[in-house]
Amino acid sequence: GIIMKKYKFIRMTYKMLKGGYVTAKEDGYRNHRTVIRDMAVLGWRFVSQLPVEVGSYGAIASYDLVFEIDCEN
């Protein structure tokens, strides 16, 4: 069959008390390196990060980590 790509977006939000950008509470406040490693174990490839929300003074408040995986159609 035709090989297509499937994409997954994981939101990272700045939380000063958690030491920087982390996932949601329900996801265990994982940092970006942990998320990338965890997704790689599942076969997902890190593609990019995209800013989603910009706070005061132009600081990025949250961004999405973008992952892809091959899937057959």
Side-chain angles (χ1 to χ4, degrees), residues 6 8 10 27 30 33-46 67-71:
K6 183 176 179 180
K8 183 175 280 201
I10 298 180
D27 192 34
R30 296 183 296 161
R33 291 180 178 169
T34 301
V35 172
I36 292 170
R37 284 187 202 112
D38 291 350
M39 294 299 288
V41 166
L42 298 174
W44 292 84
R45 184 177 77 87
F46 174 68
F67 298 89
E68 73 177 6
I69 196 168
D70 292 337
C71 61

Side-chain angles (χ1 to χ4, degrees), residues 55-67:
S56 57
Y57 304 105
I60 296 173
S62 65
Y63 62 87
D64 282 348
L65 295 178
V66 183
F67 298 89

